[in-house]
């Protein structure tokens, strides 16, 4: 059977893997990263960068592996994502596709803006998204749903 590249299934196991990072990220004074200043190494200037903790690196990889980083026009959706950032109460009713979009935006932005993910982790926005994902996961379990199909058209 051919694979539908426009459709991706995310299972409860994928969701649980992502949610396993929430208790770590909720720890008081958890250090998400170490900031490294510019420095000269072997005659080359290395720009400042964030070195993420092992857990943050694992979280990012789990997002990719679990299908949470989804190909859609995320730069065009940034204004909408900003609304969820500036008004966290909007997350209380966010659906699964919105959660996937928000996670995708945060991870993709990190590739273009060093430290963006660090700030979203430190200010608790990623935790808020994960808490909403946890609620959605609980709703899935109650209804007997074991996976969610994501389609590009829905994003």
């Amino acid at each position: 059977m051919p694979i539908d590249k426009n459709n991706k299934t995310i299972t409860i196991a994928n969701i649980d893997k992502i949610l396993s990072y929430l208790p770590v990220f909720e720890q008081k004074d958890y250090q998400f990263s170490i900031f490294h200043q510019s420095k000269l190494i072997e005659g080359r200037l290395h720009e400042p960068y964030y070195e993420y903790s092992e857990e943050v690196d694992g979280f990012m990889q789990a997002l990719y592996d679990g299908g949470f980083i989804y190909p859609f026009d995320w730069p065009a959706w940034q204004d909408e994502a900003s609304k969820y950032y500036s008004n966290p109460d909007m997350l209380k009713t966010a659906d699964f596709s919105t959660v996937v979009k928000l996670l995708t935006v945060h991870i993709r932005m990190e590739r273009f803006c060093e430290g963006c993910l660090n700030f979203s982790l430190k200010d608790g926005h990623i935790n808020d998204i994960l808490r909403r994902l946890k609620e959605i996961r609980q709703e899935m379990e109650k209804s007997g749903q074991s996976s969610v199909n994501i389609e590009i058209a829905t994003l």
Side-chain angles (χ1 to χ4, degrees):
M1 182 156 136
I3 295 172
D4 182 356
K5 293 181 181 176
N6 294 327
N7 188 335
K8 187 177 275 189
T9 300
I10 298 178
T11 65
I12 282 187
N14 300 132
I15 294 169
D16 288 344
K17 179 68 175 171
I18 300 308
L19 292 177
S20 72
Y21 292 94
L22 183 57
V24 175
F25 296 164
E26 288 179 322
Q27 292 175 45
K28 185 179 166 116
D29 299 324
Y30 179 75
Q31 188 171 358
F32 297 101
S33 66
I34 299 170
F35 180 72
H36 296 278
Q37 296 287 344
S38 297
K39 60 183 170 182
L40 212 55
I41 300 175
E42 297 177 5
R44 291 187 55 200
L45 180 64
H46 289 259
E47 296 296 321
Y49 67 97
Y50 287 86
E51 177 184 351
Y52 286 104
S53 70
E54 185 177 320
E55 292 84 6
V56 173
D57 282 340
F59 173 69
M60 288 189 284
Q61 189 61 53
L63 288 170
Y64 279 104
D65 293 346
F68 286 87
I69 307 306
Y70 204 79
F72 80 104
D73 188 4
W74 65 269
W77 198 74
Q78 282 184 326
D79 286 343
E80 187 68 20
S82 294
K83 293 176 187 175
Y84 287 90
Y85 192 84
S86 60
N87 185 1
D89 284 343
M90 287 179 64
L91 277 172
K92 292 177 182 175
T93 58
D95 62 11
F96 191 80
S97 291
T98 301
V99 168
V100 170
K101 287 181 185 180
L102 288 167
L103 290 169
T104 298
V105 167
H106 282 293
I107 298 303
R108 299 302 296 158
M109 281 186 64
E110 177 64 23
R111 298 190 89 184
F112 296 96
C113 177
E114 182 79 32
C116 283
L117 181 61
N118 180 65
F119 293 110
S120 296
L121 286 161
K122 286 180 89 168
D123 71 12
H125 187 64
I126 296 294
N127 286 352
D128 291 342
I129 294 169
L130 294 179
R131 286 185 200 103
R132 177 60 186 144
L133 179 60
K134 185 176 181 178
E135 292 171 355
I136 292 169
R137 192 252 187 254
Q138 290 167 343
E139 292 165 12
M140 289 173 61
E141 189 171 44
K142 283 180 187 174
S143 69
Q145 191 176 356
S146 62
S147 64
V148 178
N149 287 329
I150 302 285
E151 297 179 31
I152 289 176
T154 64
L155 294 179

